[in-house]
Amino acid sequence: MAYRWTNDLTHDDVTPKATFLNRRQIIAGLAAGSVAGSLLPQGAAAQEGLTPNSFDDITNYCNFYEFGTRKEDPARHAHMLTTAPWSIQIDGLVDNPGAYSLADIKSKMTIEERIYRFRCVEAWSMVVPWNGFELADLLTLAGVQSGAKYVAFETVLRKDEMPGTRFPVLDWPYVEGLRLDEAMHPLTLMATGLYGQDMPNQNGAPIRLVVPWKYGFKSIKSIVRITLTDSEPPTSWNKANGREYGFYSNVNPTVDHPRWSQATERRLGGGLFAKRIATPMFNGYEAEVASLYTGMDLTKFY
Ligand SMILES: Nc1nc2c(c(=O)[nH]1)N[C@H]1C(S)=C(S)[C@@H](COP(=O)(O)O)O[C@H]1N2
Ligand SMILES: [Mo]
């Protein structure tokens, strides 16, 4: 990578949190060299000023089908999952394949806070203060080989601890994938917690992916395996319904889901009558990530 997210601010530097985020995003935009001639990022997220959703909202309205398909199921059942000890198998096109213990990984990584917009395909959104480290740092530790083009991810599968997996709602285990350049992007996070605490089980303990410019379902939870490959890996929602869910799944207000528009969203916690707000291109991270997709027909690669 020619650049990385410059992280020279701490939480104590700036109040309120929203201002803190704006400054960070400006720095990120500059570091990415994508803010030509301007000191301000183009991203709507940066202009908006982001107030995180409450801990209660973030932990009680979840999608984690291994614990049931209703939004409140994960909060009710995910305590059954044993999250320690935990290790991630890293294999495929890497120099150093093997089982990496999470404790060991965390001791080698810089854990920092990132306040990100989160946009679900069902048109609700929230703002989450994650803590975690850049996926790029973990991949670098594993040693990505030159033939690698994609990264595949797999969620733990334990039928005795995950009651939802007794039903064929999805083809278990849950799997996801990114192109290597998406995986190496400095915004792409391996999150190990939120609101400064360890990850609540229902949000994907002990470690999950966060890709803020893609729809929520790309952010795979409770990861046990990462595989570097030379071909596009299968993804759970694409396997379940390829017409509705593509490999890329970038937040894009101009490309409708076959059954509904993706142009607007409702921020979680705003109540039943919360007004719909416009969904920005790439979820507000256009300045940082648009260059990854130059020349691609995003109606075809949805
Ligand atoms: N293993 C696994 N990961 C998953 C899911 C899932 O069902 N299983 N749901 C996805 C979907 S659809 C969304 S919107 C987000 C929700 O993350 P949250 O519950 O932390 O808000 O997790 C994603 N990751
Ligand atoms: Mo989702």
Side-chain angles (χ1 to χ4, degrees):
M1 285 305 284
Y3 62 86
R4 50 174 298 129
W5 181 292
T6 309
N7 184 42
D8 59 358
L9 296 174
T10 73
H11 201 282
D12 301 330
D13 286 334
V14 192
T15 42
K17 277 184 177 174
T19 320
F20 167 67
L21 176 83
N22 288 350
R23 285 182 52 187
R24 272 201 180 171
Q25 289 210 325
I26 289 164
I27 288 161
L30 288 172
S34 54
V35 198
S38 166
L39 281 174
L40 287 170
Q42 311 300 309
Q47 284 144 30
E48 184 189 350
L50 295 178
T51 308
N53 278 86
S54 70
F55 184 84
D56 265 14
D57 278 350
I58 297 168
T59 56
N60 286 299
Y61 194 82
C62 298
N63 272 344
F64 200 166
Y65 276 20
E66 286 88 333
F67 297 101
T69 55
R70 290 168 304 180
K71 307 293 182 201
E72 62 274 18
D73 285 338
R76 203 171 287 160
H77 302 302
H79 65 88
M80 296 168 71
L81 182 67
T82 313
T83 59
W86 194 268
S87 68
I88 302 178
Q89 175 74 26
I90 306 184
D91 54 19
L93 299 171
V94 290
D95 293 334
N96 314 306
Y100 289 69
S101 93
L102 182 59
D104 188 45
I105 291 171
K106 282 172 92 167
S107 76
K108 295 191 166 97
M109 298 288 140
T110 307
I111 309 280
E112 50 171 305
E113 185 185 61
R114 297 280 183 89
I115 304 169
Y116 280 168
R117 304 173 98 255
F118 185 87
R119 169 67 158 83
C120 196
V121 76
E122 295 114 309
W124 52 272
S125 64
M126 56 187 178
V127 176
V128 186
W130 301 108
N131 34 277
F133 56 87
E134 290 181 14
L135 173 59
D137 289 342
L138 180 58
L139 296 180
T140 301
L141 189 70
V144 179
Q145 294 182 346
S146 60
K149 295 194 180 74
Y150 295 88
V151 187
F153 303 86
E154 196 176 299
T155 294
V156 71
L157 176 54
R158 293 188 199 136
K159 287 206 155 59
D160 49 334
E161 295 184 1
M162 301 171 118
T165 61
R166 294 172 203 150
F167 307 95
V169 186
L170 290 170
D171 182 14
W172 314 111
Y174 196 99
V175 291
E176 258 304 337
L178 294 173
R179 223 169 54 192
L180 183 61
D181 57 349
E182 298 175 323
M184 295 296 281
H185 193 281
L187 283 173
T188 302
L189 214 60
M190 292 294 274
T192 53
L194 52 86
Y195 266 110
Q197 321 182 174
D198 283 348
M199 190 67 74
N201 276 17
Q202 60 265 42
N203 295 89
I207 186 163
R208 63 172 286 170
L209 184 67
V210 177
V211 194
W213 70 94
K214 294 179 182 281
Y215 290 109
F217 65 87
K218 294 296 283 184
S219 293
I220 182 173
K221 293 170 166 172
S222 306
I223 296 167
V224 288
R225 189 173 182 193
I226 297 176
T227 308
L228 279 287
T229 69
D230 60 2
S231 56
E232 191 181 282
T235 72
S236 282
W237 282 103
N238 181 254
K239 280 196 289 182
N241 190 340
R243 210 174 70 84
E244 299 192 6
Y245 307 105
F247 176 78
Y248 284 91
S249 306
N250 291 319
V251 174
N252 187 341
T254 71
V255 177
D256 291 344
H257 182 278
R259 287 184 284 137
W260 57 74
S261 160
Q262 292 284 23
T264 63
E265 65 196 53
R266 269 202 189 89
R267 186 62 46 81
L268 202 70
L272 206 52
F273 302 103
K275 72 173 191 319
R276 299 189 79 91
I277 53 176
T279 295
M281 188 66 194
F282 295 116
N283 204 26
Y285 302 96
E286 186 172 18
E288 290 90 344
V289 304
S291 62
L292 295 174
Y293 309 104
T294 307
M296 284 176 68
D297 178 354
L298 296 181
T299 62
K300 209 169 136 215
F301 297 100
Y302 56 94

